[in-house]
Amino acid sequence: MIICISNVLDSAALGKVRALLDAARFEDGRATAGWHARLVKENRQAARRDPATREAAAVVADALMANEVFRSAVRPLRMRPPLLARYGVGEAYGTHVDDALMGLGEPEGPLRTDVAVTVFLADPATYEGGALVIEDPAGEQEFRLRAGDAIAYPATTLHRVEAVTAGERLVAVTWVQSLVRDPAKREILFDLETAKRRVFAEQGKGETFDLLAKSHANLLRQWVET
């Protein structure tokens, strides 16, 4: 399931993140790519240990975890600290698949990357190119979302970032280990959660709502991994 989520960062949070990144130190983005992905990666990333970077990443992470749609669609168990990246003119990230495990050797232990997330930080009117392109069995899909919006998609996919041809693309990216590993099951749970809320809004707590709530809860019990 690919899902676009509006207004993950409101105007205040977006302004704070941008101001912090103006003060952050940036370095070659290839340092955080896997051995094969770094061959096709060309961007700059805010240095992880920089205090401004840490604060900006925390703002993004907190906003994602507070977002009801994100929690319902992704079912996060653990999330990597977001990376903040800039793509100038001519910079791109060629076709790649994300590493299956991240954080090996770190105190928190390895994280299985079930879901990849991009939060767009620049208004799409301020740059050209730079589309996130995700491959799936139906073909390729391109995304250039509004500043503050996010996209969550299976980390199992081949994807790329097209070259920026004007302006600057600014994003936060992160990866999530989900409580529900199977993307098809996550989609079923998300659909049931959406239906449950709509029935409650239209009819209140009645027999139909109770049956939906029961099925949703029992599927969670079967599918969740902790």
Side-chain angles (χ1 to χ4, degrees):
M1 179 173 65
I2 298 173
I3 185 165
C4 298
I5 308 171
S6 300
N7 300 315
V8 169
L9 295 175
D10 60 22
S11 58
L14 189 60
K16 183 175 182 179
V17 169
R18 286 173 170 168
L20 286 165
L21 292 184
D22 285 341
R25 177 174 59 85
F26 277 74
E27 56 192 12
D28 191 337
R30 287 175 291 186
T32 58
W35 63 268
H36 52 89
R38 69 171 58 102
L39 299 175
V40 294
K41 184 177 185 180
E42 187 177 1
N43 68 5
R44 292 158 292 147
Q45 288 174 182
R48 281 186 165 184
R49 295 185 179 182
D50 190 302
T53 302
R54 290 178 180 271
E55 187 174 352
V59 172
V60 174
D62 289 347
L64 283 169
M65 294 301 286
N67 187 278
E68 195 172 84
V69 176
F70 175 80
R71 294 198 310 271
S72 180
V74 176
R75 300 285 169 184
L77 173 62
R78 297 170 56 209
M79 183 167 66
R80 292 286 291 168
L83 294 174
L84 291 304
R86 281 178 167 159
Y87 291 77
V89 173
E91 293 183 322
Y93 197 165
T95 300
H96 64 284
V97 64
D98 295 325
D99 288 343
L101 296 174
M102 295 185 182
L104 292 167
E106 295 181 5
E108 298 82 3
L111 175 145
R112 186 187 67 237
T113 57
D114 297 322
V115 181
V117 184
T118 297
V119 182
F120 291 78
L121 303 175
D123 188 321
T126 65
Y127 66 97
E128 296 178 9
L132 171 64
V133 182
I134 302 171
E135 298 182 18
D136 66 21
E140 296 185 343
Q141 300 187 62
E142 295 188 6
F143 300 90
R144 294 176 81 252
L145 304 186
R146 297 175 303 175
D149 291 356
I151 181 171
Y153 59 97
T156 53
T157 58
L158 286 171
H159 53 280
R160 66 182 185 271
V161 176
E162 297 282 25
V164 172
T165 57
E168 184 178 68
R169 179 184 191 263
L170 184 63
V171 294
V173 295
T174 189
W175 296 266
V176 178
Q177 180 170 332
S178 178
L179 286 162
V180 180
R181 184 191 305 220
D182 187 327
K185 292 175 179 177
R186 287 198 302 271
E187 184 170 0
I188 291 169
L189 289 168
F190 179 69
D191 288 346
L192 278 173
E193 177 74 23
T194 302
K196 186 174 70 173
R197 290 179 179 275
R198 287 180 182 172
V199 167
F200 188 84
E202 294 171 4
Q203 303 175 17
K205 187 182 181 304
E207 183 178 350
T208 301
F209 173 82
D210 286 344
L211 287 172
L212 282 170
K214 173 189 172 184
S215 296
H216 182 257
N218 288 335
L219 285 174
L220 272 172
R221 289 187 181 96
Q222 288 189 47
W223 293 344
V224 159
E225 303 173 12
T226 57

